[in-house]
Amino acid sequence: MLPLRTRIFAFLQQRLMKSPLTAEEMIALRAQREGFRTGPITALLFGRPADVETKETYVDGRRYAVYTPRGLNGPAPVVINFHGGGWCLGTPEQSAWVSSHVAARTGSIVVAPTYRLAPEHPFPAAVEDAWAAVEWVAKHAADLGGDPGRISVMGDSAGGNLATVVALMARDAGGPAIESQVLIYPAVEMYEKFPSEAANANGPVLTSTQMSTFSHLYMGSSYGDESWQASPLRATSHADLPPTLIITALHDPIRDHGTRYAEALRAAGTEVTLVDYDTAFHGFMSLPGVAPAAKKALAGIAEFLRSLPR
């Protein structure tokens, strides 16, 4: 069962925030969500960022938030963290709690890039921007205080989709080398509905109807395109990918996306750890104030990243 605080949050969210069904409603929701995120109860819901150095840099018009541990000694690992939001919503700041605490707990520099959002910029714009971020980090890691040979990718939901895609792209391109990937309730299949979507059709934060809206707006005129750049579960091969941590939530419509991706990785011989949180829901890592499982999952992410060979 979901914790009481989670059920209260879900109840209020359903009544205060209208689910967008059109492109215009989706665009309007961005401002509403950002106002909600920066409101007076921000820290209670979204958690307090860790005490790290935070700065911004701009690359070809895209803003990158950079979280650097204080007292850094020597080149540090770099984690590129792609935010969620159904490819239509979100900013790096909605993942600031995760990004900053991963930086503080692992001694890694976390780079959280923006990417162009649908419906104004449909597929493959987000993929292009995510790949550009990987290339830029690989080229400029040393300038940030990082090690270009120790780059990991991380992302939640739509950001998890982008992390899986760029890991596949890096493998096929022969680099940049990706040390690991952390996939938090990733969306890896654009069209097929798995059993978890029926079981959690009206789950907190994400519903089956909303997932369909996100998919249609993200794909735009390319809806129906079955390429793995949209649905990485459909890649011809999942071999030769880096060690992977996949986090899923029992009450998430797309829980089975993570489970199926873990199965595909294991079948291809890729090292994968799958952790499911039975009191969690889609988006819980961005809402530690209403999801007790978020702190436990954060500890698991930090442990996974620290365990990588150095």
Side-chain angles (χ1 to χ4, degrees), residues 202-246:
N202 295 303
V205 178
L206 180 68
T207 67
S208 177
T209 298
Q210 290 168 341
M211 188 63 198
S212 177
T213 300
F214 284 131
S215 298
H216 276 86
L217 293 179
Y218 175 53
M219 296 306 294
S221 61
S222 297
Y223 191 85
D225 185 331
E226 298 183 355
S227 67
W228 61 262
Q229 288 92 342
S231 301
L233 184 60
R234 299 182 183 229
T236 302
S237 171
H238 294 93
D240 302 317
L241 289 168
T244 303
L245 170 64
I246 298 178

Side-chain angles (χ1 to χ4, degrees), residues 187-207:
V188 297
E189 165 55 45
M190 199 59 61
Y191 310 109
E192 185 175 354
K193 293 185 177 182
F194 301 126
S196 63
E197 189 161 349
N200 299 293
N202 295 303
V205 178
L206 180 68
T207 67

Side-chain angles (χ1 to χ4, degrees), residues 11-146:
F11 176 82
L12 293 173
Q13 183 200 35
Q14 290 173 355
R15 280 150 183 79
L16 296 176
M17 301 189 76
K18 178 184 177 182
S19 295
L21 297 175
T22 66
E24 292 75 15
E25 290 175 349
M26 186 67 73
I27 294 169
L29 181 60
R30 287 182 198 153
Q32 183 183 8
R33 274 172 53 106
E34 190 62 11
F36 185 61
R37 191 191 64 77
T38 57
I41 59 172
T42 295
L44 293 177
L45 297 177
F46 302 101
R48 296 185 184 280
D51 181 21
V52 297
E53 180 184 350
T54 304
K55 63 181 181 180
E56 295 182 348
T57 188
Y58 285 80
V59 180
D60 296 329
R62 307 258 61 83
R63 181 173 61 87
Y64 293 10
V66 182
Y67 303 86
T68 304
R70 298 192 184 278
L72 196 62
N73 293 314
V78 182
V79 179
I80 307 172
N81 185 24
F82 299 102
H83 70 79
W87 308 276
C88 298
L89 304 168
T91 67
E93 286 68 36
Q94 75 181 33
S95 299
W97 182 78
V98 173
S99 293
S100 63
H101 282 276
V102 165
R105 295 190 184 198
T106 68
S108 301
I109 297 167
V110 178
V111 179
T114 59
Y115 51 87
R116 286 172 291 172
L117 299 175
E120 302 98 314
H121 304 285
F123 174 82
V127 172
E128 293 169 351
D129 290 351
W131 179 244
V134 171
E135 292 188 309
W136 183 87
V137 168
K139 184 177 180 181
H140 296 277
D143 300 332
L144 300 173

